[in-house]
Amino acid sequence: IDQTVKDGFHHKNAMIAPMALTIFMWIFLMNTMDLVPVDWIPQLAALISGDPHFFFKVVPTTDPNVTLGMGFTIFGLMVYFTIAKKGFMGFVKELTLHPFHHPKWYVNILLVPINFALEAISWVSKPISLGLRLFGNMYAGEFVFILLAAMMGTWQFIGAWPWAVFHILVITLQAFIFMVLTIVYLSMAVEDH
């Protein structure tokens, strides 16, 4: 993780590597809950609640509220890092004078709405895509795993074993991708043009 941070974040900040490790471990542990047998945790939740029809989602990353919450937290960090590095007016200039800029001020006034629309879409799409990517991949993986478990019957162990191994790799890969994209987005936030 330290090498990934050194490769992806080209500025000095003591917070990035520990934050990247925390993000990786947090998502990895949430995803790992998918390896607990499908019925155990929901049955335990139903037993504790006393309601046999109690709905309980085992894997937190299969809920878009959780993943989008993490994505928008990264968005908040991106805004914070940009303002900390460039100042508030630097942040406003980045939103209004980028990507189109003209030496004459009166032309820039006409370009501000276009630049702001493009930059707003660019900024908001990053946390949404970050959250929805993790949600979609984990939800699809859990759904397919449940379908395989339901269809296999007595051959469940033999047929589901390769999928379980693949799923363990996906769990790790999704945590790593979220961490790397966080590093890249924060690096882009502090880049000077």
Side-chain angles (χ1 to χ4, degrees):
I1 289 177
D2 189 49
Q3 188 61 41
T4 303
V5 171
K6 286 178 184 174
D7 292 342
F9 193 84
H10 305 292
H11 303 277
K12 297 288 181 199
N13 192 322
M15 183 183 116
I16 298 297
M19 182 190 63
L21 177 63
T22 302
I23 287 171
F24 176 80
M25 290 306 299
W26 191 21
I27 294 173
F28 178 75
L29 292 174
M30 283 192 291
N31 292 348
T32 305
M33 293 177 74
D34 201 13
L35 299 178
V36 176
V38 177
D39 314 8
W40 289 5
I41 295 176
Q43 285 178 354
L44 182 63
L47 182 68
I48 291 171
S49 71
D51 180 8
H53 303 291
F54 184 73
F55 177 75
F56 188 81
K57 195 168 247 198
V58 176
V59 183
T61 52
T62 60
D63 185 358
N65 295 315
V66 173
T67 59
L68 286 173
M70 291 187 301
F72 281 110
T73 301
I74 301 303
F75 177 75
L77 285 171
M78 288 168 46
V79 171
Y80 170 76
F81 273 71
T82 302
I83 292 173
K85 176 72 175 182
K86 302 170 187 170
F88 181 74
M89 285 311 294
F91 177 64
V92 170
K93 287 179 182 179
E94 187 172 299
L95 289 177
T96 56
L97 300 175
H98 183 265
F100 304 116
H101 183 70
H102 197 273
K104 298 190 183 338
W105 66 271
Y106 54 86
V107 176
N108 280 333
I109 291 175
L110 298 173
L111 293 175
V112 164
I114 297 167
N115 288 336
F116 182 74
L118 291 173
E119 285 296 309
I121 291 169
S122 171
W123 273 76
V124 172
S125 67
K126 289 175 186 171
I128 292 173
S129 68
L130 192 62
L132 289 181
R133 179 183 297 113
L134 178 61
F135 160 71
N137 288 324
M138 293 310 299
Y139 183 78
E142 183 183 17
F143 193 72
V144 169
F145 196 72
I146 289 171
L147 287 176
L148 282 174
M151 290 173 35
M152 292 286 179
T154 57
W155 294 97
Q156 184 174 359
F157 178 75
I158 297 168
W161 188 81
W163 177 256
V165 171
F166 176 72
H167 199 59
I168 291 169
L169 296 174
V170 168
I171 286 169
T172 308
L173 183 65
Q174 289 306 314
F176 183 75
I177 289 171
F178 196 96
M179 177 199 70
V180 168
L181 287 175
T182 298
I183 294 168
V184 169
Y185 289 163
L186 293 179
S187 177
M188 289 169 54
V190 296
E191 288 292 329
D192 287 325
H193 300 291

